[in-house]
């Protein structure tokens, strides 16, 4: 996948989580700053909804939406592509170079197991 397509997906994904309201659920998750966190569970159990509510909470708490890179890999645009995390980071930071040294940029990947390279050298 080329960098321009990734950039378009990064920008367009913001509409997905900012415009829609999601039902509250009884679920909490502690995140460790600077570390990767994983939410696992059965299909259709609310993982994506929780992620999107978490993103909305970040924005409500004052995080600039530009500091959130959310990608949903179940999208047909990723089908068959071998996208690496380094390519996503390059696309994101080429859009928002001012955040390259920022410690509070959030990379949130949904359905990451759909990537061909998942588990085999994502960098």
């Amino acid at each position: 996948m080329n960098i321009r397509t990734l950039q378009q997906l990064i920008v367009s994904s913001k509409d997905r989580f900012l415009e829609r309201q999601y039902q509250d659920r009884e679920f909490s998750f502690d995140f460790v700053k600077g570390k990767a966190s994983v939410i696992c569970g059965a299909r259709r159990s609310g993982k994506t909804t929780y992620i999107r509510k978490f993103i909305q909470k970040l924005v409500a708490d004052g995080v600039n939406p530009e500091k959130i890179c959310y990608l949903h890999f179940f999208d047909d645009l990723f089908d068959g592509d071998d996208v690496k995390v380094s390519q996503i980071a390059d696309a994101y930071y080429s859009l928002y170079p001012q955040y390259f040294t920022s410690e509070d940029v959030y990379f949130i990947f949904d359905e990451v197991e759909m990537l061909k390279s998942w588990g085999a050298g994502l960098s």
Side-chain angles (χ1 to χ4, degrees):
M1 178 171 289
N2 67 49
I3 195 165
R4 179 61 113 193
T5 302
L6 280 170
Q7 289 172 326
Q8 290 170 344
L9 288 168
I10 290 167
V11 171
S12 69
S13 71
K14 292 185 187 346
D15 295 336
R16 290 183 191 178
F17 61 77
L18 292 178
E19 291 178 353
R20 189 168 165 201
Q21 294 300 313
Y22 298 95
Q23 181 102 19
D24 284 331
R25 296 176 183 240
E26 283 189 42
F27 181 77
S28 65
F29 190 87
D30 293 324
F31 292 91
V32 178
K33 190 172 181 129
K35 299 291 183 182
S37 298
V38 178
I39 300 173
C40 298
R43 288 197 49 77
R44 316 262 331 139
S45 64
K47 299 178 301 293
T48 295
T49 298
Y50 181 78
I51 288 169
R52 291 179 179 178
K53 282 198 66 67
F54 172 74
I55 292 169
Q56 288 178 342
K57 183 179 178 337
L58 287 174
V59 173
D61 290 346
V63 173
N64 183 337
E66 289 181 350
K67 288 187 168 189
I68 301 169
C69 177
Y70 169 78
L71 291 173
H72 189 272
F73 295 112
F74 202 69
D75 193 313
D76 290 340
L77 293 171
F78 289 103
D79 189 34
D81 274 330
D82 192 17
V83 179
K84 303 215 179 296
V85 173
S86 59
Q87 291 171 295
I88 295 166
D90 288 346
Y92 173 82
Y93 288 118
S94 66
L95 284 168
Y96 308 109
Q98 67 272 29
Y99 302 132
F100 185 70
T101 58
S102 180
E103 292 183 13
D104 60 345
V105 172
Y106 297 82
F107 286 88
I108 300 172
F109 303 143
D110 199 353
E111 304 279 358
V112 71
E113 73 279 2
M114 299 304 292
L115 291 178
K116 281 175 36 178
S117 61
W118 174 246
L122 287 172
S123 59

